[in-house]
Amino acid sequence: MKAILALDQGTTSSRAIVFDAAGAIRAVAQKEFRQIFPQPGWVEHDPDEIWATQVAVAGEAIARAGYRDRIRLAIDAAASEFYNRGQYTLDGRTVDAHQLSDYYMDLVKRFPLVSIEDSHSEDDFGGFMEVNERTGSAVQVVGDDLYVTDVARI
């Protein structure tokens, strides 16, 4: 059965909805996140918390719909965007390439991931090698930033 997982990012919560092939709602999961008020009239959000709530509600909705073993997921981590001076910023903390690989392995255990794109920075060859070795043939590791950024690498 074909299905669609829709992720709805609101200003106060993250929500995931699974629709079946006929368009009927099979499952819904929703989780609120912190509202930060730095001054009157302003509201801010923690992007790491938003990501965590999206991951959580996606997994919950998939499980509630009974599709846990039938849905496959792919992520484009775009890790070059949160890489600086040999370190990655993940969930509000600084981690190295190995710790980032540990994070991906945790995701692989918890979700039916079949592909991880740009798992590490385009210059982090060791990180790409590690996640590729650790996931084996079960997960496709794509490095479009790794290859398309520099023609000499192709």
Side-chain angles (χ1 to χ4, degrees):
M1 171 181 270
K2 292 184 180 182
I4 295 174
L5 172 65
L7 300 175
D8 176 24
Q9 186 54 64
T11 56
T12 61
S13 67
S14 298
R15 181 171 48 170
I17 306 167
V18 177
F19 297 91
D20 66 17
I25 294 174
R26 295 282 308 213
V28 177
Q30 187 167 351
K31 184 173 182 173
E32 292 185 359
F33 49 83
R34 255 179 329 124
Q35 305 296 300
I36 304 166
F37 300 98
Q39 61 185 353
W42 287 79
V43 65
E44 294 178 355
H45 302 102
D46 178 349
D48 295 321
E49 187 176 357
I50 290 172
W51 165 247
T53 60
Q54 278 291 359
V55 169
V57 296
E60 188 177 328
I62 290 167
R64 284 183 183 173
Y67 293 146
R68 175 71 171 104
D69 296 324
R70 297 188 298 194
I71 287 184
R72 304 294 176 255
L73 302 173
I75 60 171
D76 182 349
S80 293
E81 300 301 318
F82 54 94
Y83 177 79
N84 187 23
R85 298 181 184 167
Q87 299 288 305
Y88 298 90
T89 302
L90 179 67
D91 294 334
R93 59 191 170 92
T94 302
V95 299
D96 62 22
H98 178 72
Q99 292 166 314
L100 184 59
S101 294
D102 286 344
Y103 178 78
Y104 294 130
M105 294 311 296
D106 181 58
L107 291 178
V108 167
K109 288 177 189 169
R110 293 189 299 138
F111 301 100
L113 282 176
V114 295
S115 180
I116 303 172
E117 183 175 338
D118 295 328
S119 63
H120 291 77
S121 169
E122 60 197 35
D123 295 319
D124 189 351
F125 300 107
F128 271 100
M129 285 175 41
E130 179 181 0
V131 78
N132 193 41
E133 288 171 1
R134 290 177 68 184
T135 58
S137 62
V139 177
Q140 168 185 267
V141 177
V142 178
D144 75 327
D145 283 353
L146 180 69
Y147 297 112
V148 301
T149 307
D150 186 349
V151 174
R153 292 181 184 173
I154 297 178

